[in-house]
Amino acid sequence: MHQVNVGEDMREHNRRIAAENREMLRSRGIASLNIMSAPGAGKTSLLVRTLPRLRDRCRVAVVEGDLQTSRDADRVAETGVEVHQITTGEVCHLDAAMFHSALHRIDLDELDLLLVENVGNLVCPAEFDLGVDRRVMLLSVTEGDDKPRKYPLMFMQSSLLLLNKIDLLPHVDFDVERASREAREINPDIEIMGLSCRTGEGLDAWLAWLDRFIESSGGA
Amino acid sequence: MHQVNVGEDMREHNRRIAAENREMLRSRGIASLNIMSAPGAGKTSLLVRTLPRLRDRCRVAVVEGDLQTSRDADRVAETGVEVHQITTGEVCHLDAAMFHSALHRIDLDELDLLLVENVGNLVCPAEFDLGVDRRVMLLSVTEGDDKPRKYPLMFMQSSLLLLNKIDLLPHVDFDVERASREAREINPDIEIMGLSCRTGEGLDAWLAWLDRFIESSGGA
């Protein structure tokens, strides 16, 4: 039972640091989002599309989690928004301690919104609370409409499910109704929006969601 | 340094059981493949397309790893091939011990080829040797051509990279040249094939690869 105890210790340790992170952000009225998905579902493309339109609305920064390379961080930095990279090496998710280190590098007094792009992985990132306000997940329609029941934890935790790459719907077998129904069976409160980072369809609704979220957190 | 030691113990434990599995399979001349990819890249579709054509060539069985649900196993079972499911619950990968339990449920004396569908995850499955002969990975062209450098371990370990969903190439920004070049920079020996489980394009080449692999393992 040795391993189980260590796992429990690690989880308790993560919970404690996540609580600290939450306090650091909430005490300053900073709205924060943990953006999660499988690899290649479009997290970075979503940020690249979103940030230029957010910059006029509020003060925003991004934390980028990646196993290797600064490719995503570089793409995000091109928008002119402040980016802080966490290179996880072999670790397949961000945890609260990694995020805590990043928070210490950011001037939190100059911030309304903090967006975290987690490592591309539909499983493990959902197991580690970072201490942010809400979780948002992307599911690309190319991944299949059977994913909610197969990977329930992330759907259970997310406030918003973004069905990305809807421009490809005519070319794939993805039943939006089925995916939405299953996601709501797992999490009745989840909001669901379709969008395409490629064509820009649906981005206005996502921006409006972000505006409401920032307001409700007391920022901007 | 407590956690590090436990990690090492787990890895050593996995290595030992993987070696046992390898011996169980090799001593019977069974060819075995660990099929890995991100969620939704098409592992199950590949099996569903492949198995009906394999059944006439050799005696084949499948081990299906999934976090939750028997959906993939059910789809594979419809081909009439013997399927053994491993439900991992919260665990984001198969390990050698899970695979070992499955091996005990299979009549290995009646087998030429064993195909393992790992949990959909581009990270952790690559960290756990199961004791099979070779690893094959799928990368859907909808996931982006930047994946090899971002998730190098799986590319490093795989003998064959299947670029799936090539029917969608006209609709996505995926540079086959770039992805192939980067995969070969990480693993100069990796073979690369494009295919579409939807249209069937490229399946003949994959079947021919499987034939050569089974022959080289002394099966069929």
Side-chain angles (χ1 to χ4, degrees), chain A residues 153-214:
Chain A
L153 188 59
M154 200 175 284
F155 291 86
M156 210 177 290
Q157 296 179 337
S158 296
S159 304
L160 176 63
L161 165 61
L162 295 171
L163 297 175
N164 193 22
K165 310 194 190 179
I166 54 171
D167 56 300
L168 295 177
L169 278 173
H171 310 291
V172 296
D173 305 312
F174 186 97
D175 183 339
V176 172
E177 253 330 293
R178 180 191 179 196
S180 305
R181 189 175 62 243
E182 287 204 355
R184 288 200 181 95
E185 280 166 11
I186 291 163
N187 176 358
D189 298 325
I190 199 166
E191 287 184 73
I192 303 174
M193 296 177 185
L195 64 82
S196 165
C197 291
R198 190 169 179 161
T199 65
E201 191 182 344
L203 281 175
D204 287 343
W206 152 244
L207 263 296
W209 186 95
L210 272 177
D211 279 340
R212 291 194 302 276
F213 167 60
I214 296 166

Side-chain angles (χ1 to χ4, degrees), chain A residues 25 29 54 58 75 104 115 124 127 134 147 177 197 215:
Chain A
L25 295 166
L54 267 183
C58 66
R75 283 175 63 198
H104 279 302
L115 300 174
C124 315
E127 295 173 9
R134 304 256 197 112
K147 292 299 167 287
E177 253 330 293
C197 291
E215 261 177 52

Side-chain angles (χ1 to χ4, degrees), chain B residues 121-211:
Chain B
N121 183 332
L122 210 48
V123 188
C124 315
E127 294 172 10
F128 291 83
D129 182 18
L130 301 182
V132 302
D133 291 319
R134 303 256 197 111
R135 290 152 159 143
V136 169
M137 71 173 290
L138 276 80
L139 177 69
S140 160
V141 301
T142 62
E143 291 173 58
D145 53 23
D146 60 344
K147 293 298 168 288
R149 286 248 184 92
K150 288 174 69 181
Y151 300 85
L153 187 60
M154 200 174 283
F155 290 86
M156 210 176 290
Q157 295 179 338
S158 297
S159 304
L160 176 64
L161 164 62
L162 296 172
L163 297 175
N164 193 19
K165 309 193 190 179
I166 54 171
D167 55 298
L168 295 177
L169 279 174
H171 310 293
V172 296
D173 304 312
F174 186 97
D175 183 339
V176 172
E177 252 330 293
R178 181 192 179 195
S180 305
R181 189 176 59 243
E182 287 204 355
R184 289 202 181 95
E185 280 167 9
I186 291 163
N187 177 356
D189 297 325
I190 199 166
E191 286 185 75
I192 303 173
M193 294 177 186
L195 64 81
S196 164
C197 292
R198 191 170 179 161
T199 66
E201 191 182 345
L203 280 176
D204 287 342
W206 153 243
L207 263 295
W209 186 93
L210 272 177
D211 279 339

